[in-house]
Amino acid sequence: MTAPRSLRRAARHLTRGECEEIARRVMSFATAADTRVAIASGQQGNTRFAVNQISTAGDSYNASVSVQSSYGKRTAASSTNRLDDESLRATVQMAERLARLSPEDPESLPLLGPQQYTDAGGWSDSTASLEPTERSTAVQRIATPARSANLVSTGYLEANAGASAVANSRGLFAYYRATSCALTATVRTPDGTGSGWAGGAHYDWSRLDPQAFGARAIEKARLSRNPVGIEPGRYTVILEPTAVGNLVQLIGGSLAARAADEGRSFFARAGGGNKVGLKVVDERVSLLSDPLDPDAPAAPFTAEGLPIARTVWIDNGVVRNLAYDRYWAERQSRAATTVGGTLRMAGGTATTDEMIASTRRGLLVTRFWYIRPVDARTILYTGLTRDGTFLIENGKITRAVKNLRFNESPIFMLNNIEAMGVPVRVSASEAGGPGLAIVVPPIKVREFTFTSSSDAI
């Protein structure tokens, strides 16, 4: 669509004042007992490259307004990306019409009143101002060396800058603006036998190094030529940070207190209740969410406008908190908590080279993909290694191996830790975008389960 006039300026997102003005207009059209409005705006730029050249590039600018209307426990919503009065009025009327027709929701709760929010970071001018020419330059820092090495590079660069706001008819208003970016690169040998990957994500584009990503992916592609097959089984593995992030983020998605209390998750306790207070992983492991994390900031409020606070989920191996939505928190007489958009795992001081040197026989894994659930009660998942899997023998990498399918739980994995490195921000999204803001260390783990091999590169 054509960007709204207010988005065609340099900022390309709605300011706090503009969001407040839109919210006031929506409320003036509302007749429902309760109304909540969510406003999102901003820009997204992306550049894809393949066979050492840019294949597509695009920039989009948008603003959307979603109106939720409630009559008691009857609720419905309608959305628009037009900001004129006529369109906003029609959106409100549609939400109210649908709400009157909706069945009652027995778990519906009243809207929140005014809240206090922390001033979260997460904005970078270097990301917000990243233009197509600069994205092209970043791609060439990967593609040109790959071409010179007679290798084939592909990848994806995405940069986002925008703002979100929540307001309701009970006086609540929240506003947050943020940027995010990710760059991933896969480099392959012309014969298709070797493949290497590197990438990263951050809110600040200046913190990403395209040339370093390219060099790392090129080196892994060279080393992974002509992989050999090995027998599946349980191996000592050294997981690079991206591989750790691929699996540890699955714990963040399994922290719902309701599922635990109802016996539907790993965090359910035998005989009833949940595992808060119980040790579930190695005592060196701690997991927390903090919207003020300097490396991985996130919005300080939920879609309802509920403030998000720093929360420790696992502390020295012991479960300290679970995520309570407002309904379940009220039922259990607890404070509502949420993981939000960020997750950090504590680490150690070991380097990847030191982990390799201390390994008699094992595997070095670059990353995982095609990760799919198997059993929610153990957080068991299956997936494949990809883009650089190597055999370690007597403290040295000796050869590339064919990819392997794993059947493993991050809980089992975090009970078998032998060493951990320094946590870093990673791109743990299979799609290549920024995804969850996650900070994790490389780790060395024993008895990681591989169930079959794969000829796929």
Side-chain angles (χ1 to χ4, degrees):
M1 64 165 284
T2 300
R5 181 173 300 173
S6 55
L7 296 187
R8 296 192 207 119
R9 306 168 315 164
R12 296 171 181 166
H13 65 274
L14 296 171
T15 66
R16 181 186 184 94
E18 289 170 326
C19 289
E20 289 176 326
E21 189 269 335
I22 291 170
R24 281 194 296 268
R25 284 194 283 147
V26 168
M27 298 305 170
S28 72
F29 303 139
T31 63
D34 285 308
T35 303
R36 184 171 76 217
V37 56
I39 305 166
S41 66
Q43 65 189 72
Q44 194 252 27
N46 66 82
T47 300
R48 294 184 184 275
F49 57 105
V51 198
N52 297 326
Q53 59 188 333
I54 292 173
S55 55
T56 65
D59 289 85
S60 61
Y61 312 94
N62 199 9
S64 64
V65 177
S66 178
V67 179
Q68 177 181 292
S69 301
S70 300
Y71 295 92
K73 292 184 176 293
R74 301 180 188 275
T75 299
S78 182
S79 300
T80 183
N81 62 356
R82 295 180 179 274
L83 307 184
D84 59 279
D85 282 356
E86 182 180 352
S87 298
L88 292 178
R89 182 183 289 107
T91 302
V92 171
Q93 291 172 345
M94 176 62 75
E96 293 181 346
R97 187 181 311 123
L98 293 173
R100 292 189 186 97
L101 297 172
S102 298
E104 289 193 349
D105 178 3
E107 298 183 4
S108 176
L109 293 175
L111 296 179
L112 293 166
Q115 305 288 311
Q116 295 295 317
Y117 304 104
T118 55
D119 292 326
W123 179 269
S124 166
D125 288 338
S126 72
T127 306
S129 62
L130 191 65
E131 297 292 339
T133 53
E134 295 172 278
R135 301 201 306 263
S136 174
T137 299
V139 168
Q140 291 308 316
R141 289 175 180 166
I142 298 170
T144 300
R147 185 184 302 110
S148 298
N150 194 31
L151 299 170
V152 180
S153 67
T154 64
Y156 181 62
L157 192 167
E158 179 181 316
N160 305 288
S164 59
V166 181
N168 69 30
S169 53
R170 300 198 179 194
L172 178 146
F173 183 83
Y175 177 84
Y176 176 67
R177 70 171 194 159
T179 56
S180 63
C181 56
L183 173 60
T184 60
T186 301
V187 175
R188 292 191 171 183
T189 58
D191 62 5
T193 67
S195 182
W197 180 94
H202 210 275
Y203 75 90
D204 184 352
W205 169 248
S206 68
R207 301 282 291 273
L208 301 184
D209 188 341
Q211 189 167 343
F213 291 160
R216 186 169 180 80
I218 287 170
E219 180 64 14
K220 288 209 169 191
R222 286 170 168 160
L223 292 174
S224 63
R225 278 191 176 104
N226 302 312
V228 299
I230 61 172
E231 288 296 317
R234 292 185 175 180
Y235 284 83
T236 294
V237 295
I238 296 167
L239 304 180
E240 295 192 353
T242 298
V244 177
N246 291 148
L247 299 186
V248 166
Q249 65 182 343
L250 303 174
I251 297 176
S254 302
L255 287 166
R258 183 172 185 173
D261 292 341
E262 293 179 346
R264 297 183 285 110
S265 85
F266 165 77
F267 293 100
R269 190 170 187 167
N274 59 52
K275 291 181 179 176
V276 171
L278 296 183
K279 182 176 179 294
V280 297
V281 292
D282 187 287
E283 58 272 8
R284 289 170 288 181
V285 174
S286 294
L287 289 176
L288 64 90
S289 297
D290 184 359
L292 303 183
D293 190 308
D295 289 314
F301 54 84
T302 68
E304 295 179 279
L306 182 74
I308 300 175
R310 180 183 186 274
T311 304
V312 177
W313 307 105
I314 296 176
D315 183 26
N316 296 326
V318 178
V319 181
R320 295 301 183 192
N321 289 286
L322 293 175
Y324 287 81
D325 61 33
R326 288 183 60 214
Y327 171 77
W328 200 247
E330 186 174 284
R331 281 279 303 270
Q332 302 298 102
S333 299
R334 297 289 300 266
T337 55
T338 182
V339 175
T342 182
L343 190 65
R344 174 181 284 269
M345 175 180 166
T349 59
T351 66
T352 300
D353 287 343
E354 288 171 344
M355 295 181 201
I356 292 171
S358 68
T359 303
R360 187 183 66 81
R361 190 169 192 273
L363 296 171
L364 174 67
V365 177
T366 298
R367 68 173 183 138
F368 297 114
W369 77 297
Y370 216 97
I371 302 166
R372 299 295 183 267
V374 176
D375 179 13
R377 295 189 182 186
T378 56
I379 320 182
L380 183 67
Y381 278 74
T382 188
L384 293 159
T385 64
R386 188 176 189 180
D387 300 319
T389 306
F390 304 96
L391 182 64
I392 301 168
E393 295 176 297
N394 298 318
K396 295 182 179 180
I397 294 175
T398 57
R399 67 189 74 182
V401 300
K402 291 184 178 181
N403 287 310
L404 295 158
R405 173 170 292 280
F406 71 85
N407 267 48
E408 191 60 89
S409 164
I411 296 295
F412 303 163
M413 177 182 80
L414 296 181
N415 269 294
N416 290 328
I417 289 177
E418 293 192 355
M420 297 192 295
V422 176
V424 296
R425 175 78 183 265
V426 299
S427 171
S429 164
E430 286 188 35
L436 178 71
I438 185 167
V439 181
V440 292
I443 62 175
K444 179 180 176 181
V445 176
R446 61 184 176 274
E447 297 186 351
F448 192 93
T449 303
F450 294 103
T451 56
S452 62
S453 62
S454 171
D455 289 328
I457 299 300

